[in-house]
Amino acid sequence: MEQNERGNYRTQETLTQQFYHSCLGKIIILLGILGVLFVIACLTVPDEETMMAEMNDNIRQCIEANDSIKTDAIDDAINNVVYIFTTADSIPNQEIIDNFEQCNTLEYCHHTFYATTLLHNNFKPEGIRAGIGIFGVVIPTINFNDFLFKIGPMHKGYDQKPVKSTIIRGGYSFGSDPELGL
């Protein structure tokens, strides 16, 4: 800054400094950074082999962690973050893993900037997202309650239909348990 006679100040900014301080310049810089991040994301999408190997490891860790305790949403979120950085120490009960592989399937879906895996079973035939792969990292979003381990009858006897009637006869008040004819 130079001082003129009478106390007025005059700034001498270069053209690049004026560009950095302008709104248009900040928007262009932000778009440039986002463009670079998108290019890096495109180049580092995990392939199918990596994604499936990581998800199988994450599922084994989830089965191992939830073997005897019930967890809530916060525990599941913390466990999923930990699964990113760890591997399964031991193989859980092989019978449980065999049941899991028999009743559940994983599907790899490649997108432009990321990849996902979907978990399919009889409860969720359309699939539920089990993991996201972005920037070369596989982030699990699994929950032990999403897995199906057994296939069994869903009715009283083999000679009966699964649901006889869904019409509630008589009065139904809030909080009571109606007989649905199961």
Side-chain angles (χ1 to χ4, degrees), residues 70-91:
K70 297 295 180 193
T71 59
D72 59 357
I74 295 173
D75 290 334
D76 290 331
I78 291 172
N79 285 340
N80 283 334
V81 170
V82 171
Y83 298 158
I84 296 171
F85 305 108
T86 60
T87 58
D89 293 336
S90 62
I91 297 175

Side-chain angles (χ1 to χ4, degrees), residues 15-142:
L15 189 60
T16 56
Q17 289 174 336
Q18 289 177 359
F19 177 74
Y20 289 143
H21 294 150
S22 71
C23 184
L24 179 64
K26 290 179 182 180
I27 291 172
I28 290 174
I29 291 170
L30 179 66
L31 291 176
I33 291 171
L34 288 176
V36 169
L37 285 176
F38 284 141
V39 168
I40 292 171
C42 280
L43 297 175
T44 59
V45 173
D47 61 342
E48 185 172 2
E49 290 179 20
T50 304
M51 193 82 169
M52 288 301 183
E54 288 289 325
M55 284 309 303
N56 284 330
D57 180 60
N58 294 335
I59 288 169
R60 287 177 189 269
Q61 290 182 61
C62 184
I63 291 171
E64 187 177 296
N66 292 299
D67 190 20
S68 62
I69 60 172
K70 297 295 180 193
T71 59
D72 59 357
I74 295 173
D75 290 334
D76 290 331
I78 291 172
N79 285 340
N80 283 334
V81 170
V82 171
Y83 298 158
I84 296 171
F85 305 108
T86 60
T87 58
D89 293 336
S90 62
I91 297 175
N93 186 352
Q94 189 60 37
E95 182 180 341
I96 295 173
I97 298 298
D98 292 339
N99 284 340
F100 173 82
E101 291 174 354
Q102 178 184 4
C103 301
N104 302 281
T105 58
L106 285 174
E107 177 188 0
Y108 174 79
C109 299
H110 186 305
H111 306 282
T112 306
F113 301 114
Y114 63 98
T116 58
T117 54
L118 296 175
L119 178 71
H120 297 279
N121 55 32
N122 285 348
F123 289 140
K124 299 283 184 172
E126 70 277 1
I128 186 170
R129 185 178 60 224
I132 301 169
I134 189 166
F135 295 118
V137 177
V138 177
I139 303 166
T141 59
I142 53 177

